Amino acid sequence: MPELPEVETVVRDVRPELVGRTVRAISVSRLSLRRPWQPAWTDRLIGLRFLAVRRRAKWILLDLDDSSRLVCHLGMTGQLTVEADSSPVKDHTHLNFQLDNARQLRFRDVRRFGSVEWFADETAVLAFLGERLGPEPWELEPKEFADTVRRSGRSLKAILLDQSVAAGVGNIYADEALHRAGLHPEQTGQQTSTAQAERLCRAIVEVIDHAIALRGSTIRDYIGGSGLRGGFQDEFRVYGRDGQPCLKCQKVIEVVRVAGRSSHFCPACQSRHRQPARPQRRPRQRP
DNA sequence: CCGACGTCCTGCTAGC
DNA sequence: TGCTAGCAGGACGTCG
């Protein structure tokens, strides 16, 4: 569900609520999250103070004052909020951290694709996240990104969803970036020119920046850390707009399934195969 | 090695 | 009105 802009919004909302606060108690109503909550973590955490709230890709990192960390992923429907004790606890709230100021850090996740996991220190976190995550969008080197894209036989859509290529991009922002770059989701990396790939690289940053400025997109479940909805859903050019006219050229937006995900695009602005396939470095011998 | 696909889970909705 | 199949923003394990 939440992609980088939504997670960033949650982090910004939760940070001022959490930093400096101490965990007084933890109630766990569901252990079987994607990564099961270990009861031993509960005992360890009582009495610890939050030092920082950070984000890496779609992961939320909560630093504690014994240098251990909680690492949280919102999956598709996860919500991380800080609310008053008196605020009613909604269904599917799996973890509830009682803070020292009559407020509670709550993790709620209807579909339970999300998780909260405890790590002993930063090294353990880096070992966990480091190997699977590529650079944040702003750290992407256009040249390097283009090389990676052009080496791949996968669709551009699949490449964008690959967290080791551009960490934090998900289905919505992949579609939006492809439209802004004028590229078809089914076009393969190998069919993509360097100029196109670099344009795509810039489009990713643009769309992510714009979405963060509007506090992300609320389609259905997503809310920020203070319970507020996002505003970027009103800026979608293709996502969820199938059957409606393209805002640029008036052609009807289409939806297809690419890399197992629904992919929205304008058939006119995002035509395929604009570039001839790059010659293979080592062409296969003809029998 | 790379890429495609299924699976985890619940809730909503389009379509009959 | 009532039922159900299909689909939903993610990540990862497995298989070819």
Side-chain angles (χ1 to χ4, degrees):
Chain A
M1 155 206 178
E3 307 179 28
L4 192 157
E6 291 74 33
V7 177
E8 177 64 22
T9 302
V10 170
V11 163
R12 290 181 185 185
D13 286 350
V14 162
R15 180 180 291 137
E17 289 271 7
L18 224 45
V19 170
R21 298 266 73 92
T22 298
V23 179
R24 288 277 188 247
I26 300 173
S27 78
V28 182
S29 38
R30 175 78 90 154
L31 298 174
S32 64
L33 302 174
R34 180 178 188 84
R35 297 173 186 281
W37 179 267
Q38 307 296 315
W41 297 345
T42 302
D43 301 328
R44 286 206 61 131
L45 285 160
I46 309 287
L48 298 184
R49 195 160 46 93
F50 289 104
L51 291 187
V53 179
R54 300 177 289 151
R55 181 192 58 75
R56 171 75 172 101
K58 300 172 195 170
W59 300 83
I60 299 168
L61 284 62
L62 307 176
D63 295 4
L64 294 143
D65 66 349
D66 67 342
S67 75
S68 71
R69 280 101 173 80
L70 287 170
V71 176
C72 171
H73 198 291
L74 300 178
M76 298 266 248
T77 54
Q79 301 174 346
L80 192 72
T81 57
V82 178
E83 300 171 54
D85 291 1
S86 56
S87 169
V89 177
K90 299 189 187 118
D91 282 351
H92 306 289
T93 299
H94 308 305
L95 297 169
N96 199 342
F97 298 73
Q98 179 63 57
L99 305 174
D100 57 356
N101 61 345
R103 293 177 79 73
Q104 299 175 343
L105 172 69
R106 295 173 181 175
F107 177 73
R108 173 171 188 257
D109 186 5
V110 172
R111 285 175 72 183
R112 281 188 278 146
F113 283 14
S115 61
V116 180
E117 194 169 2
W118 179 86
F119 289 89
D121 53 33
E122 183 73 8
T123 308
V125 173
L126 291 177
F128 175 71
L129 295 181
E131 62 193 39
R132 66 197 82 203
L133 294 178
E136 297 276 315
W138 309 277
E139 299 166 354
L140 285 172
E141 277 295 330
K143 275 271 181 298
E144 239 175 84
F145 177 79
D147 282 349
T148 305
V149 166
R150 283 160 56 76
R151 249 183 275 119
S152 173
R154 306 153 84 191
S155 62
L156 292 177
K157 180 60 178 278
I159 295 170
L160 287 183
L161 293 178
D162 184 341
Q163 298 300 294
S164 72
V165 176
V169 178
N171 204 39
I172 291 178
Y173 299 107
D175 281 6
E176 293 296 320
L178 284 166
H179 180 264
R180 280 160 175 77
L183 296 170
H184 193 289
E186 289 179 297
Q187 180 173 315
T188 67
Q190 285 162 353
Q191 293 167 340
T192 304
S193 72
T194 302
Q196 288 176 333
E198 292 183 2
R199 207 193 311 153
L200 181 57
C201 187
R202 288 193 298 274
I204 294 168
V205 175
E206 279 169 23
V207 78
I208 295 277
D209 275 341
H210 191 183
I212 290 174
L214 294 178
R215 299 180 48 84
S217 310
T218 296
I219 309 286
R220 158 179 278 169
D221 303 282
Y222 164 74
I223 52 168
S226 49
L228 288 174
R229 293 165 51 87
F232 191 71
Q233 64 280 0
D234 300 328
E235 302 287 318
F236 290 164
R237 297 188 190 171
V238 285
Y239 185 81
R241 295 195 65 248
D242 41 303
Q244 298 177 47
C246 173
L247 299 174
K248 245 198 287 194
C249 75
Q250 309 305 315
K251 258 239 166 191
V252 176
I253 302 296
E254 296 178 12
V255 57
V256 288
R257 208 138 184 101
V258 188
R261 317 298 300 275
S262 65
S263 301
H264 312 73
F265 68 100
C266 168
C269 297
Q270 299 170 262
S271 63
R272 248 187 116 168
H273 301 317
R274 208 176 290 173
Q275 288 298 119
R278 190 166 61 136
Q280 292 292 316
R281 209 173 298 131
R282 203 157 47 83
R284 230 204 327 225
Q285 295 291 325
R286 292 223 172 244

